[in-house]
Amino acid sequence: MDWVLLFVWVLLSILITLVVLLAVPLEWRFTVELDEDHRSADSHIRWLFGLVIIRTSNEPKSDTREKPAKPKKRKPKRNRQSLRRVLSVDGFVGRLLTLIRRIVSAIHIEHLSVQARLGLGDPADTGQLWGVIGPVAGLLSIPKATRINIEPDFFNEVLALQCDGRLRVIPLRLVGLLLGFLLSLNTWRAFRAIKVGTRA
């Protein structure tokens, strides 16, 4: 029985250490640019009062050679059908908006700027998506340090984004919020709707 007690103490020690570490604030600075011809991202994370610094960068490779223009490929219809099924799950959109509102309240936004234009190529699908994106943009615009401008395109399939920000957050709060969201019944119903869409 001694080894069982030792195992329990080791497990508790690891759990307590993990909780303490996740309770230390994390600072995240990022810049993202995305459109049809250009994709780049830069992320800088400082944690444990500067003892842990993680920086990632994804810059597009320069290529002076001219490439023949490729015809645009429309995304499979099943992807839009899956999105429609997810958004139609009873209570899921409200649950998602509640999660986003709680995350926004848990994050200290020092600076956030978002310029975006999006469309799914179908007015009905874009309208359903905008039913979620619109309230999210409103929630993000509440802090004074934010500038959000997201425009829907109801006729073209497009995704253009320019975003940069500086945030500070306690990871433990986010973990609790995400676990509560992932374990909810509405989220599992949405996952099942996605599986149904991929099998169709």
Side-chain angles (χ1 to χ4, degrees), residues 24-40:
V24 177
L26 176 149
E27 183 182 85
W28 182 29
R29 302 183 182 184
F30 60 91
T31 302
V32 178
E33 294 185 7
L34 174 65
D35 56 36
E36 294 181 355
D37 304 319
H38 177 80
R39 294 182 180 182
S40 65

Side-chain angles (χ1 to χ4, degrees), residues 9-22:
W9 277 109
V10 170
L11 189 61
L12 286 175
S13 300
I14 294 174
L15 182 61
I16 292 173
T17 302
L18 183 61
V19 170
V20 171
L21 290 176
L22 290 177

Side-chain angles (χ1 to χ4, degrees), residues 131-147:
V132 178
I133 299 297
V136 171
L139 290 174
L140 292 176
S141 300
I142 293 176
K144 295 181 179 180
T146 64
R147 187 174 68 251

